[in-house]
Amino acid sequence: MKRSWLILAALMVFAVISCAGGNATVKEPDPLEPARKELHKGIAWYQKGCYHNALPHLLRAHEQFTAYDHLPGIAMSLNNIGNVYGKLGDPESAILFFESSQTIYRDLDDIAGAVQALSNKAAVLIKIGKLDDAEATLEAAQKLLYTTGGTNPVLLNNWGVLLTRKKAYVEAEDMLMAALKASDPNYYPQAASIHFSLGHLMSTTGRYDEGLEHFRKALDNDHRSGFHQGIADDLAAIGTLYQREGEHTAATAHFQRSIKIYALLGNEERALAIMEMLEKSAREAHVDIAVTRHFISQWARGEILESPCK
């Protein structure tokens, strides 16, 4: 009798296992997951200001998306590679990548993607002083956006920057305020960029206090997002504003904070530029900057124990 019960129990266990196995669905692996992971790694490094770290991941993502002929991924990776080249001081390459990206986005009828790529291209053109080309690019992006009836804070911000460069200050302020209104206040990188543009506009037009307020808001947002390069840029802008107003003690403090971040990031060009301004304000304020010099020299030799880009 005991033997019969054992046989019956074994058969019942087998039946349960068989049913579970028959009903279970096996999830197929996503072949694009490795490409998406590389893309996200690249974007994460980019958002910290570690552009040299970002590039290999974005290039790998592009290769993997290309192997599967995944056009949305190809367009997105190209756009992000363009952003990196723009930050690394290679505007010609950046523009080529943005053009390739926007062409694919338009073929996909992805208006938002095309507008983003064109807007990024315009930002690079503004930076290198090709203002007429930048305006034509922004107009092309604007025409695309009209077909959707939407708004794009990045596009509005770039319009504001362009109009500031063209000394159309009233129109520039209108555009930048519209960008701020259209932006998501919880998307810190975007908010920082718009406040920085407003800070530059206000300081350019002699509105010292308002400029300082916007630069501080940019700094707060860059702190929230952990954007090292942005933090250094904000501090340098605040220091420059203080220096211009003859407040050299405050300028010295902000320049010291800024230059140390640039040095940690390996941005020698910006570090040298800030050092000149730092030395000027330090002399005026009678501030000893020996400790800052020590760290700058040490980090310039590569003696960094904890780099933000590692």
Side-chain angles (χ1 to χ4, degrees):
M1 187 71 177
K2 185 175 181 182
R3 179 181 177 83
S4 298
W5 276 107
L6 287 172
I7 294 171
L8 180 60
L11 288 171
M12 289 176 66
V13 171
F14 178 76
V16 170
I17 294 171
S18 297
C19 289
N23 292 331
T25 56
V26 178
K27 187 177 180 182
E28 292 292 331
D30 180 1
L32 293 172
E33 186 61 24
R36 293 194 179 100
K37 284 183 177 179
E38 289 294 338
L39 182 68
H40 292 153
K41 286 178 184 177
I43 292 172
W45 280 120
Y46 178 87
Q47 290 177 340
K48 287 185 175 185
C50 302
Y51 306 122
H52 288 287
N53 293 36
L55 189 57
H57 293 291
L58 295 173
L59 291 171
R60 287 191 196 102
H62 177 254
E63 289 173 0
Q64 292 168 354
F65 281 128
T66 300
Y68 283 99
D69 192 36
H70 188 263
L71 293 178
I74 294 170
M76 186 178 291
S77 58
L78 288 170
N79 183 55
N80 281 284
I81 292 168
N83 281 329
V84 171
Y85 276 120
K87 295 294 187 182
L88 290 176
D90 187 352
E92 291 81 10
S93 295
I95 289 167
L96 289 173
F97 279 101
F98 291 139
E99 274 296 320
S100 295
S101 175
Q102 72 92 19
T103 298
I104 296 171
Y105 275 130
R106 293 184 73 164
D107 288 342
L108 292 169
D109 201 28
D110 185 339
I111 301 302
V115 168
Q116 190 68 41
L118 285 169
S119 188
N120 290 340
K121 175 186 172 183
V124 171
L125 289 167
I126 294 169
K127 187 175 180 180
I128 62 176
K130 294 187 176 182
L131 303 187
D132 290 340
D133 290 343
E135 185 169 4
T137 303
L138 289 174
E139 286 175 349
Q142 197 73 58
K143 285 179 182 177
L144 283 176
L145 194 60
Y146 282 147
T147 64
T148 68
T151 58
N152 185 303
V154 176
L155 182 63
L156 291 168
N157 183 42
N158 286 332
W159 269 118
V161 174
L162 174 66
L163 290 166
T164 300
R165 288 285 297 271
K166 299 186 86 169
K167 299 184 180 180
Y169 299 126
V170 175
E171 295 89 340
E173 186 170 353
D174 288 342
M175 284 289 185
L176 292 174
M177 287 301 183
L180 199 59
K181 185 178 180 181
S183 67
D184 178 357
N186 294 317
Y187 183 35
Y188 305 126
Q190 191 175 88
S193 180
I194 297 168
H195 278 297
F196 190 90
S197 298
L198 278 163
H200 178 65
L201 171 64
M202 301 305 177
S203 60
T204 299
T205 54
R207 295 154 71 179
Y208 171 82
D209 291 334
E210 291 173 89
L212 200 56
E213 180 185 357
H214 282 293
F215 282 137
R216 284 174 175 161
K217 286 180 178 178
L219 179 61
D220 179 59
N221 280 283
D222 281 326
H223 274 142
R224 289 170 183 265
S225 65
F227 183 27
H228 306 299
Q229 179 78 33
I231 293 168
D233 291 341
D234 301 331
L235 290 167
I238 293 170
T240 301
L241 205 51
Y242 276 129
Q243 187 178 74
R244 189 182 303 167
E245 295 300 310
E247 299 183 40
H248 291 289
T249 301
T252 300
H254 284 81
F255 285 144
Q256 288 190 95
R257 290 161 63 188
S258 174
I259 195 172
K260 288 165 82 173
I261 298 172
Y262 284 131
L264 282 172
L265 291 173
N267 192 335
E268 184 178 350
E269 182 180 354
R270 284 296 292 156
L272 289 172
I274 298 301
M275 181 57 79
E276 290 185 16
M277 294 188 285
L278 170 58
E279 288 175 340
K280 177 183 176 181
S281 281
R283 283 195 302 270
E284 293 289 338
H286 305 291
V287 175
D288 187 351
I289 58 171
V291 172
T292 297
R293 287 181 183 278
H294 165 76
F295 282 116
I296 298 304
S297 297
Q298 178 178 311
W299 295 337
R301 294 192 300 269
E303 297 173 14
I304 300 173
L305 298 176
E306 193 65 39
S307 169
C309 293
K310 286 185 179 178

